[in-house]
Amino acid sequence: MVEQGKILINEHVGKDIWRMELKAPWIAQKARPGQFVNVRLTEHTDPLLRRPISLHGIDADNGIICFLYLVVGKGTKIMSELENGDSLDLLGPLGNGFSTAFQGKRAVLIGGGIGSAPLYPLMEMLKAQKKSVTLIYGAKDQDSIVCLDLYKENQAEVIITTEDGSAGEKGFVTAPFEALLRNESVNYVYACGPSAMLRAVEELTLKYGVDGEISTEANMGCGLGVCLSCSTPGRDGKNRKVCTDGPVFKMGELAYE
Amino acid sequence: MSKVKTAVKIGTLTVKNPVTTASGTFGSGLEMREYVDLRKLGAITVKGTTLKSRAGNPLPRCTETPSGTLNSIGLENPGVDVFVADILPQVAAYETPIIVNIAGSEIPEYGRLAEILENEDAVSALEANVSCPNVKSGGMALGTDPDLVYQVTKLVKENTSKPVIVKLSPNVTDIVSIAKAAEEGGADGLNLINSVLGLAIDIEHKRPALGNIVGGLSGPAIKPIALRMVYQTAQAVTIPIIGLGGIVSWQDAIEFLMAGATAVGIGTGNFLDPATTMKVVDGIEKYLEDHGFSDIHEIIGIAWKGQNAGKEGCHVCSE
C-alpha cells in the first residue's frame, strides 16, 4: 500500500540521528514490530530509489508511526530537511517482522547504533505480553545513544556499552551479553545492528543454545521481492530476500560471508 | 471502455495495450498483485529463466547513481523446471499474456529452453536474453556479435512456434547491425534496451560498489540512450520493437512510441512507484484521446515518419 504520511515531528535527537513522527493511519494499523517502510523522498528521479526505514514507533490507536534514522547520504539528508506538515510517500508496511511467540518470560534485545530503532515497538509488544525485557544498547559514544527514556518508562532493564567508554561499559555489546547468558536465564534474543555485531551475537546464542532472531539490512532496489538486489545466502544454500523473506531471520538461518 | 484502439501485435501475439514489464523488475507478477491489476497489463514479462537454477552474484548487487540504479543480480532464478511447475500456473490464472525471458550460458541452452517452454500453453512468447551484462558466459557476450545473435535467434525459432522476441544489449557500437541479425534469424520482435554497462566506486571502502564490480545501469539516466537506439532501429527493421529504458511515466512511454516502439516495458519505474505500469496504461490512452488519435499505430514512429504517415497504417504489424 502506498500512503501519503503527514509529518508531525522531525527532530534532531543525537549525533546524525533524527526522529520523525508521521500521521499514517493505514500503515499504523497494519504494521508489526520489525517491519519497515520504503520511503520515496522526491517526486523527481534523484535520488531515484526509495529508502527502507524501519518502524521505531507504531501507534495504531492514533494512526501514528515513527522513524528513528541516521543521516548517512543523499536520501536521509533530504528526509532530515523535511518540515512539519510536509507529506512523505510511504510504501508499506513491508517485510516479515519479529515473532514474539517464544517459550518463557525473559527476552534480551540487543541494538547496535541505529539498529536499536526497530527494537522499541518490539519491546512494547513483549511488555504487553508480560515478558521481561533487557535491552543491551551499544553505540560509538554517548551522543549516539538516543531515546533511552522510552525503554526506562516501560521498565525494561537497560545496559549501555560504548566503544569509547563515554557512557556505560567500554567495549561492545557482546561482553554484557555473554555475562547474561552465563549467569542468568535467557529465553529468547533479538538483535539488530551492524553485520559484525549480528555475527558475534549469533555465535554466542548458538554457543549457549538460546534461540532468537536478527533483523538485518542490505541494499534494496524494490522492497517488494522482485529485483533480487538484497538476496542473501542462507546456511542451507538457498537465498533469502532481505526485503520479503526478512528483514527478520532466525538465529543461524543466514550464512555469513 | 475507450474508443481509442491500443491493441498491438508482436508476431502472432496480440496484446490489448502496449504496456509490459521489464524482465527482472516485476518478479513473476505475483509479487506485485497488491499494487497492480495484472489483468490490465498488455503482457507480463517475467524474470529471466535459465535451464538450471542460479544463485546470482555476490552482494552488494545494487547501488544508486544519479537518476539511475546500477545492478548486478546475475540472473538469480530457480530454473525453468521450477518456473514451469510452481510459478507459471499461478501467473496464468490472470489471463494476461506471459512473455518468458530465457537466458543460456551457451547457445544450445536457448534451444533447449525454447523446446521445454513450447509445451506450455500459458507461455505466449519467448524473449531471448542475449544482453545480460551480469553473467560471465552467454548474456552480453552473445549480444554484441551479430553472427551469434543470428544463431541464437534461429535456434530459438526452430524450437518454438511461439513469437520470439530478442532482447538486445545497448553495449554495442552499432545497434542496427545487431537488430538486423536478429531479424534475419527470424525474430518476431525486438526488445531494446537492456541495461548499460557501468561502474560505481565506494570511496570509503576504496573499491567498486558492487560485489560483481561492474553492473547494468537502468532508470531515467539511460532513457536518451534507449530512445536513440529505438529511433534508429525502428527505421531499419520491419519487426516490432518493445522499447524500454528509464520509463517512469506515461509521457516517457509516449516518447518511446513516437521513436518507433510498438510496445513499451516498465523496469526500474516499478521500484519508484509499484503502480507505474497502471499509470502508463491509462496515460497512453488519455494522451491518444486528448490529441484526437483513434489508434495507437498513428503515433508509432511519428517522430520520424511525420504527422500524416501514421494515418495510412502501420507497416510494422500491418494494422
Side-chain angles (χ1 to χ4, degrees), chain B residues 178-189:
Chain B
I178 306 280
K180 283 186 163 170
E183 186 176 34
E184 280 164 32
D188 299 286

Side-chain angles (χ1 to χ4, degrees), chain A residues 27-45:
Chain A
I27 292 173
Q29 196 65 47
K30 293 277 174 190
R32 298 190 310 276
Q35 289 191 296
F36 67 96
V37 172
N38 226 354
V39 179
R40 188 170 180 188
L41 293 160
T42 170
E43 55 191 60
H44 305 293
T45 60

Side-chain angles (χ1 to χ4, degrees), chain A residues 10-20 53 67-81 113-117 137 139-147:
Chain A
N10 192 18
E11 58 182 355
H12 190 198
V13 292
K15 188 191 272 183
D16 298 326
I17 301 172
W18 293 68
R19 184 178 166 281
M20 179 186 280
I53 311 275
F67 299 136
L68 187 69
Y69 62 99
L70 186 67
V71 175
V72 287
K74 194 156 60 176
T76 42
K77 176 89 178 0
I78 291 172
M79 201 164 153
S80 71
E81 288 162 356
I114 201 66
S116 67
Y137 185 166
K140 276 205 174 65
D141 51 36
Q142 182 159 24
D143 293 344
S144 306
I145 292 172
V146 296
C147 302

Side-chain angles (χ1 to χ4, degrees), chain B residues 85-203:
Chain B
D86 299 345
I87 301 171
L88 186 60
Q90 293 187 66
V91 191
Y94 290 87
E95 295 171 340
T96 289
I98 299 167
I99 301 173
V100 179
N101 180 289
I102 56 171
S105 45
E106 289 168 357
I107 290 177
E109 291 184 14
Y110 287 87
R112 182 76 192 110
L113 282 159
E115 195 183 358
I116 291 167
L117 292 165
E118 172 64 7
N119 303 321
E120 302 302 324
D121 290 342
V123 175
S124 300
L126 301 180
E127 178 175 277
N129 181 354
V130 291
S131 47
C132 179
N134 295 321
V135 292
K136 287 194 173 57
S137 51
M140 207 178 85
L142 296 174
T144 52
D145 181 333
D147 291 339
L148 298 178
V149 169
Y150 172 82
Q151 286 178 40
V152 170
T153 310
K154 193 160 173 290
L155 181 64
V156 174
K157 279 297 284 182
E158 283 166 3
N159 284 280
T160 188
S161 61
K162 301 177 193 290
V164 173
I165 299 156
V166 181
K167 183 161 186 174
L168 300 183
S169 169
N171 304 303
V172 296
T173 312
D174 180 11
I175 189 72
V176 169
S177 64
I178 306 280
K180 283 186 163 170
E183 186 176 34
E184 280 164 32
D188 299 286
L190 300 171
N191 178 313
L192 52 127
I193 60 175
N194 206 320
S195 54
V196 178
L197 197 59
L199 176 76
I201 291 175
D202 175 342
I203 62 170

Side-chain angles (χ1 to χ4, degrees), chain A residues 49-51 219 228 231 239, chain B residues 55 59 61-62 64 76 272:
Chain A
L49 296 174
R50 289 171 180 269
R51 297 296 190 267
N219 286 10
L228 309 185
S231 192
N239 284 349
Chain B
L59 270 66
R61 292 178 175 184
C62 169
E64 188 181 73
E76 177 179 341
L272 280 58

